Amino acid sequence: MGGWAIAVHGGAGVDPNLPMERQEQAKQLLTRCLNLGISALRSDLAAIDVVELVVRELETDPFFNSGRGSALTAKGTVEMEASIMDGPKRRCGAVSGLTTVKNPVSLARLVMDKSPHSYLAFSGAEDFARQQGVELVDNEYFITEENVGMLKLAKEANTILFDYRIPLGSESCSAGVESPLHMNGLPISVYAPETVGCVVVDNQGRCAAATSTGGLMNKMTGRIGDSPLIGAGTYACDLCGVSCTGEGEAIIR
Ligand code: GLY
């Protein structure tokens, strides 16, 4: 058996002010997804199938910012995006502006496998999803109570939140943290949900990467970040695989 490797992420870093309960939830979900990927690799699944499988799982759970639980636009709607890349042949697929596709990463995979293109967006991507028969749900499925609350906070602070800062009482902070960060005079914490991704090298040395996101909280409708952009949010070749997270505008630059 060759040497396989897998990395899974649900955003960049952990803020020390994040309540322990949220940190534990994040770790549990990431561990579950990591184990799913490890089992698939042990069963000899190809890297491209493993990254899709793992990112689907992350999209389906509302904890992080992708699929269900995606960040909301300034209009309170969801516009999701994702991309996937298969290293050996540098094949890739990407989607943006999805409002009804339950698993955006799988539509990105279909763009790669079943369309003559690399990237489909908005109504064209939704038309393609219907043609391909992928699972569709109402926009409301993606909108969680937590994200409605965070959008409200973002609007009150007149900001676009890429790191989901919320007011937080110091009693909820991790042990040992004396002074929470502040924004607009309020103590804040990073509320965990961020972009998700997975990078894999399989038993045959093939590398693949996938990334999925709802983008930034309170973003303008039509905004496209780094996650669906091959060479920005996602990349894979025969030497490396990359899945980025953080402020898309900075990553694109
Ligand atoms: N990196 C995710 C985004 O900015 O949309």
Side-chain angles (χ1 to χ4, degrees):
M1 186 167 108
W4 51 260
I6 177 168
V8 179
H9 75 81
V14 175
D15 187 289
N17 295 324
L18 185 67
M20 286 307 286
E21 193 193 320
R22 297 289 298 185
Q23 292 189 32
E24 280 312 312
Q25 276 178 285
K27 278 185 206 157
Q28 276 172 22
L29 175 55
L30 288 172
T31 304
R32 179 158 64 79
C33 291
L34 190 62
N35 287 334
L36 183 72
I38 289 171
S39 301
L41 283 162
R42 287 194 171 131
S43 305
D44 266 342
L45 228 65
I48 190 72
D49 296 322
V50 179
V51 293
E52 182 186 352
L53 180 78
V54 170
V55 171
R56 274 180 73 91
E57 192 71 13
L58 288 159
E59 287 174 342
T60 303
D61 192 294
F63 189 84
F64 290 117
N65 173 13
S66 66
R68 181 149 193 264
S70 278
L72 306 177
T73 69
K75 291 184 179 165
T77 54
V78 164
E79 291 183 356
M80 298 167 289
E81 42 197 13
S83 62
I84 192 165
M85 187 159 188
D86 191 14
K89 292 190 178 156
R90 278 187 276 169
R91 298 163 63 242
C92 56
V95 285
S96 281
L98 301 183
T99 55
T100 66
V101 175
K102 188 171 176 220
N103 290 109
V105 71
S106 292
L107 191 64
R109 173 81 189 262
L110 287 166
V111 170
M112 178 175 91
D113 286 345
K114 306 273 187 202
S115 88
H117 305 300
S118 303
Y119 189 1
L120 293 175
F122 294 92
S123 59
E126 293 276 338
D127 288 347
F128 180 67
R130 276 189 290 278
Q131 278 165 23
Q132 293 296 318
V134 302
E135 189 173 358
L136 303 177
V137 287
D138 287 341
N139 201 241
E140 287 71 44
Y141 160 86
F142 301 103
I143 301 174
T144 62
E145 211 176 297
E146 279 180 355
N147 282 355
V148 169
M150 282 190 276
L151 178 63
K152 189 165 172 281
L153 287 168
K155 283 183 177 291
E156 280 165 8
N158 193 25
T159 187
I160 293 163
L161 303 187
F162 79 88
D163 51 6
Y164 301 90
R165 287 159 197 263
I166 58 159
L168 179 73
S170 54
E171 73 282 355
S172 326
C173 296
S174 311
V177 177
E178 285 172 8
S179 53
L181 300 172
H182 285 75
M183 183 177 74
N184 298 335
L186 292 171
I188 53 164
S189 179
V190 178
Y191 201 65
E194 287 192 32
T195 296
V196 304
C198 182
V199 179
V200 161
V201 180
D202 65 22
N203 282 320
Q204 295 181 41
R206 296 171 297 202
C207 186
T211 311
S212 182
T213 191
L216 304 184
M217 185 64 73
N218 202 23
K219 67 183 181 181
M220 292 170 66
T221 53
R223 179 261 186 189
I224 291 172
D226 60 300
S227 302
L229 303 183
I230 298 298
T234 303
Y235 188 72
C237 62
D238 47 9
L239 296 175
C240 68
V242 179
S243 170
C244 290
T245 176
E247 188 189 356
E249 283 69 11
I251 296 169
I252 291 166
R253 287 197 298 276

